[in-house]
PDB file of all heavy atoms in Angstrom:
ATOM      1  N   GLN K1257      -4.526   2.538  16.018  1.00 96.00           N
ATOM      2  CA  GLN K1257      -4.156   3.848  15.440  1.00 96.00           C
ATOM      3  C   GLN K1257      -4.741   3.907  14.047  1.00 96.00           C
ATOM      4  O   GLN K1257      -4.707   2.936  13.294  1.00 96.00           O
ATOM      5  CB  GLN K1257      -2.647   3.960  15.307  1.00 96.00           C
ATOM      6  CG  GLN K1257      -1.879   4.305  16.583  1.00 96.00           C
ATOM      7  CD  GLN K1257      -0.429   4.511  16.302  1.00 96.00           C
ATOM      8  OE1 GLN K1257       0.120   3.996  15.312  1.00 96.00           O
ATOM      9  NE2 GLN K1257       0.226   5.274  17.126  1.00 96.00           N
ATOM     10  N   LYS K1276     -13.166  16.307  17.069  1.00 95.00           N
ATOM     11  CA  LYS K1276     -11.923  17.018  16.836  1.00 95.00           C
ATOM     12  C   LYS K1276     -11.745  17.292  15.332  1.00 95.00           C
ATOM     13  O   LYS K1276     -12.164  16.519  14.482  1.00 95.00           O
ATOM     14  CB  LYS K1276     -10.734  16.154  17.308  1.00 95.00           C
ATOM     15  CG  LYS K1276     -10.552  16.145  18.832  1.00 95.00           C
ATOM     16  CD  LYS K1276      -9.249  15.468  19.216  1.00 95.00           C
ATOM     17  CE  LYS K1276      -9.025  15.538  20.729  1.00 95.00           C
ATOM     18  NZ  LYS K1276      -7.783  14.875  21.148  1.00 95.00           N
ATOM     19  N   GLY K1289      -5.823   5.687  19.998  1.00 94.00           N
ATOM     20  CA  GLY K1289      -6.800   5.474  21.087  1.00 94.00           C
ATOM     21  C   GLY K1289      -8.147   4.862  20.718  1.00 94.00           C
ATOM     22  O   GLY K1289      -9.058   4.970  21.486  1.00 94.00           O
ATOM     23  N   TYR K1316     -16.933   6.266   6.662  1.00 96.00           N
ATOM     24  CA  TYR K1316     -17.014   5.405   7.840  1.00 96.00           C
ATOM     25  C   TYR K1316     -15.882   4.386   7.828  1.00 96.00           C
ATOM     26  O   TYR K1316     -15.533   3.905   6.747  1.00 96.00           O
ATOM     27  CB  TYR K1316     -18.362   4.666   7.856  1.00 96.00           C
ATOM     28  CG  TYR K1316     -19.557   5.599   8.076  1.00 96.00           C
ATOM     29  CD1 TYR K1316     -20.210   6.109   6.971  1.00 96.00           C
ATOM     30  CD2 TYR K1316     -20.026   5.878   9.364  1.00 96.00           C
ATOM     31  CE1 TYR K1316     -21.318   6.987   7.156  1.00 96.00           C
ATOM     32  CE2 TYR K1316     -21.156   6.753   9.537  1.00 96.00           C
ATOM     33  CZ  TYR K1316     -21.764   7.262   8.434  1.00 96.00           C
ATOM     34  OH  TYR K1316     -22.850   8.090   8.571  1.00 96.00           O
ATOM     35  N   LEU K1330      -6.327 -23.497  25.482  1.00 94.00           N
ATOM     36  CA  LEU K1330      -7.293 -24.416  24.859  1.00 94.00           C
ATOM     37  C   LEU K1330      -7.236 -24.362  23.331  1.00 94.00           C
ATOM     38  O   LEU K1330      -7.697 -25.285  22.678  1.00 94.00           O
ATOM     39  CB  LEU K1330      -8.704 -24.094  25.316  1.00 94.00           C
ATOM     40  CG  LEU K1330      -9.004 -24.371  26.819  1.00 94.00           C
ATOM     41  CD1 LEU K1330     -10.361 -23.795  27.179  1.00 94.00           C
ATOM     42  CD2 LEU K1330      -8.980 -25.882  27.062  1.00 94.00           C
ATOM     43  N   CYS K1331      -6.725 -23.269  22.760  1.00 94.00           N
ATOM     44  CA  CYS K1331      -6.707 -23.081  21.299  1.00 94.00           C
ATOM     45  C   CYS K1331      -5.487 -23.710  20.622  1.00 94.00           C
ATOM     46  O   CYS K1331      -5.397 -23.734  19.427  1.00 94.00           O
ATOM     47  CB  CYS K1331      -6.762 -21.610  20.927  1.00 94.00           C
ATOM     48  SG  CYS K1331      -8.380 -20.846  21.220  1.00 94.00           S
ATOM     49  N   TYR K1337     -10.129 -23.023  14.286  1.00 92.00           N
ATOM     50  CA  TYR K1337     -11.493 -22.972  14.822  1.00 92.00           C
ATOM     51  C   TYR K1337     -11.878 -21.509  15.055  1.00 92.00           C
ATOM     52  O   TYR K1337     -11.122 -20.688  15.536  1.00 92.00           O
ATOM     53  CB  TYR K1337     -11.585 -23.769  16.084  1.00 92.00           C
ATOM     54  CG  TYR K1337     -12.952 -23.765  16.739  1.00 92.00           C
ATOM     55  CD1 TYR K1337     -14.112 -24.002  16.009  1.00 92.00           C
ATOM     56  CD2 TYR K1337     -13.108 -23.497  18.114  1.00 92.00           C
ATOM     57  CE1 TYR K1337     -15.378 -24.023  16.612  1.00 92.00           C
ATOM     58  CE2 TYR K1337     -14.345 -23.489  18.747  1.00 92.00           C
ATOM     59  CZ  TYR K1337     -15.448 -23.769  17.960  1.00 92.00           C
ATOM     60  OH  TYR K1337     -16.686 -23.708  18.547  1.00 92.00           O
ATOM     61  N   GLN K1341      -9.986 -17.620  16.609  1.00 92.00           N
ATOM     62  CA  GLN K1341      -9.440 -16.622  15.658  1.00 92.00           C
ATOM     63  C   GLN K1341      -9.194 -15.309  16.384  1.00 92.00           C
ATOM     64  O   GLN K1341      -9.978 -14.954  17.284  1.00 92.00           O
ATOM     65  CB  GLN K1341     -10.438 -16.390  14.513  1.00 92.00           C
ATOM     66  CG  GLN K1341     -10.777 -17.609  13.678  1.00 92.00           C
ATOM     67  CD  GLN K1341      -9.633 -18.002  12.784  1.00 92.00           C
ATOM     68  OE1 GLN K1341      -9.047 -17.174  12.108  1.00 92.00           O
ATOM     69  NE2 GLN K1341      -9.274 -19.294  12.724  1.00 92.00           N
ATOM     70  N   LYS K1369     -14.103 -30.808   9.769  1.00 60.00           N
ATOM     71  CA  LYS K1369     -13.741 -30.360   8.435  1.00 60.00           C
ATOM     72  C   LYS K1369     -14.890 -29.676   7.717  1.00 60.00           C
ATOM     73  O   LYS K1369     -14.716 -28.785   6.927  1.00 60.00           O
ATOM     74  CB  LYS K1369     -13.276 -31.589   7.573  1.00 60.00           C
ATOM     75  CG  LYS K1369     -11.931 -32.179   7.990  1.00 60.00           C
ATOM     76  CD  LYS K1369     -11.575 -33.368   7.164  1.00 60.00           C
ATOM     77  CE  LYS K1369     -10.214 -33.925   7.583  1.00 60.00           C
ATOM     78  NZ  LYS K1369      -9.864 -35.134   6.760  1.00 60.00           N
ATOM     79  N   ILE K1399     -28.448  -9.090 -19.017  1.00 81.00           N
ATOM     80  CA  ILE K1399     -29.570  -8.900 -19.968  1.00 81.00           C
ATOM     81  C   ILE K1399     -29.102  -8.313 -21.271  1.00 81.00           C
ATOM     82  O   ILE K1399     -29.470  -8.795 -22.362  1.00 81.00           O
ATOM     83  CB  ILE K1399     -30.674  -8.046 -19.307  1.00 81.00           C
ATOM     84  CG1 ILE K1399     -31.327  -8.770 -18.115  1.00 81.00           C
ATOM     85  CG2 ILE K1399     -31.759  -7.648 -20.349  1.00 81.00           C
ATOM     86  CD1 ILE K1399     -32.192  -7.888 -17.262  1.00 81.00           C
ATOM     87  N   LYS K1411     -29.352 -13.060 -36.457  1.00 64.00           N
ATOM     88  CA  LYS K1411     -28.855 -12.481 -37.713  1.00 64.00           C
ATOM     89  C   LYS K1411     -28.011 -13.488 -38.509  1.00 64.00           C
ATOM     90  O   LYS K1411     -28.083 -13.531 -39.753  1.00 64.00           O
ATOM     91  CB  LYS K1411     -27.992 -11.227 -37.363  1.00 64.00           C
ATOM     92  CG  LYS K1411     -27.746 -10.332 -38.579  1.00 64.00           C
ATOM     93  CD  LYS K1411     -27.104  -9.033 -38.090  1.00 64.00           C
ATOM     94  CE  LYS K1411     -26.887  -8.117 -39.263  1.00 64.00           C
ATOM     95  NZ  LYS K1411     -26.218  -6.835 -38.876  1.00 64.00           N
TER      96      LYS K1411
END
Side-chain angles (χ1 to χ4, degrees):
Q1257 281 185 335
K1276 285 188 177 179
Y1316 294 90
L1330 290 172
C1331 286
Y1337 178 49
Q1341 300 286 315
K1369 289 180 180 178
I1399 293 168
K1411 195 172 182 181

